Amino acid sequence: MMTTYKSLITRKLELLTWYFPLILFCLLALWLRTAYLTNDLPTNSSPDEPYYFQWAKAIRETGLPSVENGLGYPPALLYMLAGEQIIVEAVRGEKLIPAFDYFVVARVVSSIFGFASVVVSGLVGRQLGKSKVVGLVAALMATIWPVMVEAGRRGMANAPWLFFSLLTFICLYKGRDHRRIVWLYLALAAGILSFLFKYQTGVALILPFIYALLYFRGLKTRLAPHLIAWSGALLALTLWLVFYYQLFNLVNLPGNGAIKHITADGKLVGLQSWEINIRIIAGVVAGNWYLWGAGIATGIALYTLITKKWNELIDGGLALSFAGFILMFYLLMSVAPPFPHEIYWIPLTSAFYLLGVAGMAAILRIVSHIVAKAADAKWSRITEIVSLATLVAFNAPFIYTRGQELIWIYEHAWSKPYTVKLLDEWFDQHVPQGGRVVSERIKMPDWYIYAPPLFHRYVADSIFAESVGSYRSRGYEYLIWNSMTSNPTDSLADLDAESNKAYLDDVKEVLRLTGENVAGMDIVVYQLPPLQEHPLYFWFGDRISFRGFDLNRETLKPGDELQLTLYWMSVMQTPANYIVFVHVLAADGKTLLVGQDGPPDNGNRPTWSWRGDMDFVTDQHALAIPPDAPAGFYSLKVGLYDADTQQRLQISEPTLQPVGDTVTLAEIRIQKQAP
């Protein structure tokens, strides 16, 4: 009874020493991946993310991401984003804010995958190293690396890519240990999902076949139907990707532009990439010890094929699977030019870390066995404890360094508002009527796909590419400079140089975002002198923005001509044929002195031809004051009505407060006719 009680306590302690720290790591991972999640919404400091949502929108409409170079892009992320959008729309209903809700949900899902990757890293590490300590070290390292925290703050494929890659290996060793082929089905499914998030991990799809032939070879007659079914499923998937999803038309593969040239300097690209990519991996995997540890783990795994007693040091079959995966993945990636960004190596670096920690643990365990045999048996437990402490200490510098990096990122980035977010907030507050903006190209987000199209942005390499007069003549109202352009200016000092000050002499600086209290690029916004003499802003419905007017004079005599220029911007394409009416009304507000009704600009720019995207329209009108017009004060009013229904378009202020169906532009005076 006492023995049973002690064993129960021991089991509970073992569970506590595993689950308690693992839960702590998971909570830390969840916090890191959701810290300041909305900091850069709805604007993101990266221009890439909006494209995912544009492609997902195309998936919903056509089944293919056949817009903006999306054709052939790995489908899992795009179908997942499309599914998230459908769910969010159902939950949020009329309260939906696409420019915000879609992105937040996508990032939360990405964060959850990152959190789950910590769990599977711990499970794989524990199995590989045959030790809870190895598993916990692996989980802690996955908490801060290589599932990059930044990836959880964007709706990207990196976190699910790693999760399904590692889940494949968990299912493989479960199938091997339990001798149940259903686990190999799950392994194949996880591998397919990993492949559909990033095509590079397709090399893992061969592993379920290898495990089936190795560990289920005694069931050859029963195994054949399974292998045929798997092969058929992969063939069907391949046919779908090639002939329907148009995989070979993929244009958004990193580095694919250089693949067109298969040789450079007399060498095949692949031969050059092998050596360069080795250096990249060595740089990504912090410290050569992890690479040596991975090699030692592979060596021990090979030796376990001969000497079964070495199985207690490391899971040989799983280690060899990882090693094979690393080799195939590396060779596949090296066929293309180098991939210097660490996100392209996430599965490989994760495998290196897991193998490295397991290999170092195996070495320490061998040392402890040697010490225990050479000394008294009572030293056995002590040497085991020392070896585990050594393992933790060995990884501590790397963990500490990464922790310091994350603290720095939080203090200098996450805890401060992003300049691009402040930029959008400023425009929302100060330019609610929308506007035409010249924005510099590099790293400046052009526009969020689902955001209301109130601000047209002409994207230029530099705001200095044209003269201020050229921008102004086309109705542009703001110039946005940012510090991430390469030329002719890339710093505030360059921007404030005398030559640039001379160029900007006619414009007014209205916003400068830089300094210690903000994160992100430096941004300066300049306002151009308005083209219209009388700026006046109203919304005509939700598609047309009125910008102001020019008037030749406000005091006229009977017989004079009143010349009026109206300025409009088309927010969205306008299918209706609206008629502009210009009325000069007497003081009673009812008696019409003179009026004119007609399509904009004398019929040259009918509203059904307006293209949206803040298309700028100049609208000329001329009204002759009757020779017998009584002297006095009159109001000049304008409005729009539908040519088919005769219904007037409702008007509101920039803040969306309704004002009726006409706008008073000015009060004009008609002088008494001279005798």
Side-chain angles (χ1 to χ4, degrees), residues 409-429:
I409 290 172
Y410 185 82
E411 291 178 348
H412 291 82
W414 298 352
S415 61
K416 299 176 182 178
Y418 272 82
T419 50
V420 284
K421 178 175 184 289
L422 296 176
L423 173 69
D424 273 7
E425 289 178 349
W426 186 87
F427 268 97
D428 287 342
Q429 181 178 355

Side-chain angles (χ1 to χ4, degrees), residues 109-375:
V109 171
S110 183
S111 298
I112 292 171
F113 273 113
F115 159 82
S117 295
V118 173
V119 178
V120 294
S121 294
L123 293 173
V124 174
R126 179 175 178 175
Q127 178 69 23
L128 260 179
K130 302 261 181 123
S131 167
K132 287 184 294 184
V133 175
V134 173
L136 291 175
V137 169
L140 180 56
M141 294 179 70
T143 299
I144 55 178
W145 187 270
V147 190
M148 291 174 294
V149 174
E150 294 88 326
R153 302 177 70 241
R154 297 172 63 188
M156 294 175 62
N158 299 330
W161 184 24
L162 177 61
F163 171 76
F164 286 113
S165 297
L166 294 180
L167 187 63
T168 302
F169 289 95
I170 288 179
C171 294
L172 286 174
Y173 77 68
K174 286 286 187 182
R176 176 202 63 191
D177 291 348
H178 296 284
R179 291 295 194 273
R180 297 188 64 182
I181 204 164
V182 66
W183 284 106
L184 298 189
Y185 272 91
L186 295 175
L188 185 65
I192 289 173
L193 286 171
S194 174
F195 163 71
L196 292 178
F197 274 102
K198 293 281 189 177
Y199 294 137
Q200 292 92 328
T201 47
V203 294
L205 296 178
I206 194 175
L207 293 175
F209 290 87
I210 295 174
Y211 268 65
L213 294 173
L214 284 176
Y215 298 106
F216 295 85
R217 58 181 179 271
L219 305 172
K220 290 183 180 179
T221 54
R222 293 171 56 188
L223 186 60
H226 298 295
L227 297 179
I228 292 172
W230 298 352
S231 301
L234 292 178
L235 177 61
L237 177 64
T238 302
L239 294 175
W240 180 80
L241 286 171
V242 172
F243 294 104
Y244 174 78
Y245 199 71
Q246 303 179 37
L247 171 64
F248 291 138
N249 292 327
L250 178 67
V251 294
N252 204 338
L253 183 68
N256 68 325
I259 296 177
K260 297 175 183 177
H261 306 286
I262 63 172
T263 63
D265 299 327
K267 294 182 180 179
L268 290 174
V269 169
L271 294 175
Q272 298 176 68
S273 302
W274 293 350
E275 182 180 351
I276 298 172
N277 285 335
I278 280 287
R279 293 199 294 270
I280 293 171
I281 294 168
V284 172
V285 181
N288 288 330
W289 280 107
Y290 292 101
L291 296 175
W292 281 108
I296 290 169
T298 306
I300 293 174
L302 287 170
Y303 196 71
T304 58
L305 298 178
I306 304 170
T307 308
K308 297 296 184 183
K309 65 180 182 179
W310 280 51
N311 283 332
E312 65 184 27
L313 298 177
I314 199 169
D315 187 324
L318 192 57
L320 291 176
S321 300
F322 262 105
F325 170 74
I326 286 175
L327 179 61
M328 291 187 293
F329 185 89
Y330 172 74
L331 292 176
L332 174 65
M333 295 285 280
S334 292
V335 170
F339 294 84
H341 201 292
E342 52 206 10
I343 64 173
Y344 301 126
W345 297 101
I346 281 180
L348 184 142
T349 53
S350 299
F352 263 122
Y353 279 115
L354 290 166
L355 279 175
V357 175
M360 288 183 288
I363 294 171
L364 293 170
R365 197 172 291 138
I366 291 172
V367 172
S368 67
H369 285 325
I370 293 172
V371 172
K373 284 186 177 181

Side-chain angles (χ1 to χ4, degrees), residues 570 573-576 604-612 615:
S570 170
Q573 193 170 10
T574 307
N604 293 318
R605 295 293 304 275
T607 57
W608 50 261
S609 70
W610 293 6
R611 298 171 297 181
D615 186 24

